[in-house]
Amino acid sequence: MTALQIVVAPQPGQLTIGQGIEDFASYLIIERNCPGTTVRAYCADLRQLAAFLHDKLASAVTMGDLRAWLENLHGADYAPSTIGRKLACVRTYFRFGKREGWATDNPAKELDLPRRDQVLPRVLTEAEVVELLDQVSSARDRGMLEVMYAGGLRVSELVGLDLEHVNLDDAHVRVMGKGGRERICPIGQAAVAALRAYLAERGEGPGALFLNYKSRRLTDRSVRKMMKVVGTATPHTLRHSYATHMIDHGADVRSLQDLLGHKSITSTQIYTHVSPVRKQAVYDQCHPRA
């Protein structure tokens, strides 16, 4: 007879940092509806913290411990934006732990996020976008780039598209964005034509819109790799270019916020600073001695 193995569950307040990561990941997925990239990054951040603090009890972590960890990150030349994300992760983790009963306090709540120097995103000119598109030979890759630029899609949104999300007659795609927020993105006739050419090769079968050579859903990594071959632009460069060109041609920030799927208009307002064409147009129109 096989002996029974007794597993003793940790008592409330007795979980180490590492032992709380799995439940925290489930919380991010189920309750916060966070994308997989965020969940993986947060779990990696917490494993890093656990290693630094020798996986001490979550209830025993102090503000001094976290200050030492942040100083170590600064010494390792992490970017302020990365340190800010790690601190935001730890704040959320201890807030969750306090709710669950295995953390008695949130030692990260009083720590200040590092100042993030504003880095303006790289933007292609309209001529450079055309040049990039003309370098792509396959119908699938041309379709992907046209849709990304036409709709301002994130790469995760692009590869998440299914055939049923595409309406070529009305020239739009239905996108599931960050936080599970759905939106309709117009894509224009150039992208529609590119998709028709691709679908003539792909066929009309259900499932993922963009397929790899094994007829499986394409990954964001594959898209980045393809773009690296044809030039220096990244998927997010195309998204930045889309937003900037929309501002250049008169789009208002509130409408652009909806088109991009930004939760906060603050994220969209950066494009009003990026676009020199728009600033010049506003100056010429509004200044009495322009």
Side-chain angles (χ1 to χ4, degrees):
M1 180 180 295
T2 304
L4 293 176
Q5 182 179 6
I6 299 175
V7 178
V8 180
Q11 295 298 313
Q14 297 302 307
L15 283 182
T16 66
I17 299 169
Q19 288 171 334
I21 293 177
E22 185 175 347
D23 284 346
F24 180 63
S26 298
Y27 158 74
L28 293 176
I29 296 168
I30 298 170
E31 296 190 38
R32 297 283 294 272
N33 202 20
C34 291
T37 50
T38 300
V39 176
R40 289 191 292 273
Y42 275 21
C43 289
D45 294 339
L46 291 170
R47 285 192 291 269
Q48 183 185 40
L49 176 65
F52 181 78
L53 296 179
H54 306 291
D55 204 19
K56 70 189 298 184
L57 291 176
S59 58
V61 175
T62 66
M63 186 186 298
D65 290 331
L66 296 181
R67 287 190 192 279
W69 178 57
L70 292 175
E71 288 176 7
N72 181 264
L73 295 177
H74 282 290
D77 291 330
Y78 280 94
S81 58
T82 302
I83 296 175
R85 186 205 69 215
K86 290 176 183 290
L87 181 53
C89 161
V90 171
R91 278 181 178 172
T92 307
Y93 174 77
F94 280 104
R95 185 165 61 244
F96 169 73
K98 190 175 179 182
R99 187 190 81 175
E100 296 298 299
W102 44 260
T104 55
D105 196 8
N106 187 346
K109 66 182 178 181
E110 300 297 333
L111 293 174
D112 293 328
L113 291 170
R115 180 180 177 274
R116 295 180 61 173
D117 295 328
Q118 186 183 56
V119 178
L120 298 181
R122 181 185 172 220
V123 174
L124 301 177
T125 65
E126 294 177 44
E128 287 173 332
V129 170
V130 173
E131 183 180 349
L132 172 67
L133 294 171
D134 288 344
Q135 292 182 48
V136 180
S137 56
S138 79
R140 184 202 66 181
D141 294 351
R142 178 70 183 241
M144 288 193 301
L145 294 186
E146 288 279 12
V147 170
M148 264 197 296
Y149 176 64
L153 271 62
R154 301 176 177 93
V155 66
S156 59
E157 296 169 344
L158 178 83
V159 298
L161 288 174
D162 289 338
L163 191 59
E164 65 182 21
H165 298 152
V166 180
N167 188 324
L168 295 180
D169 293 332
D170 293 336
H172 70 248
V173 293
R174 181 160 48 90
V175 172
M176 186 64 69
K178 284 186 175 181
R181 296 187 296 275
E182 187 178 282
R183 69 185 191 279
I184 299 297
C185 294
I187 56 173
Q189 293 307 311
V192 167
L195 281 178
R196 290 191 190 279
Y198 165 60
L199 290 175
E201 294 182 359
R202 177 199 181 277
E204 297 294 334
L209 174 61
F210 294 110
L211 305 173
N212 62 19
Y213 70 97
K214 293 182 179 179
S215 296
R216 297 174 183 169
R217 185 181 300 275
L218 207 64
T219 65
D220 56 354
R221 183 177 181 182
S222 297
V223 178
R224 296 178 196 280
K225 185 176 180 181
M226 178 272 291
M227 292 189 68
K228 190 175 291 186
V229 171
V230 299
T232 59
T234 67
H236 225 57
T237 304
L238 271 185
R239 181 169 157 89
H240 291 319
S241 303
Y242 159 89
T244 303
H245 298 164
M246 291 286 285
I247 290 287
D248 286 347
H249 289 279
D252 65 272
V253 177
R254 183 65 68 182
S255 297
L256 186 59
Q257 177 191 0
D258 292 338
L259 289 167
L260 288 168
H262 284 157
K263 185 176 181 179
S264 169
I265 199 169
T266 304
S267 301
T268 316
Q269 286 173 331
I270 186 175
Y271 297 108
T272 63
H273 303 297
V274 168
S275 175
V277 175
R278 184 63 172 162
K279 285 191 288 187
Q280 185 65 51
V282 170
Y283 179 85
D284 291 343
Q285 180 181 349
C286 299
H287 198 283
R289 297 179 65 85

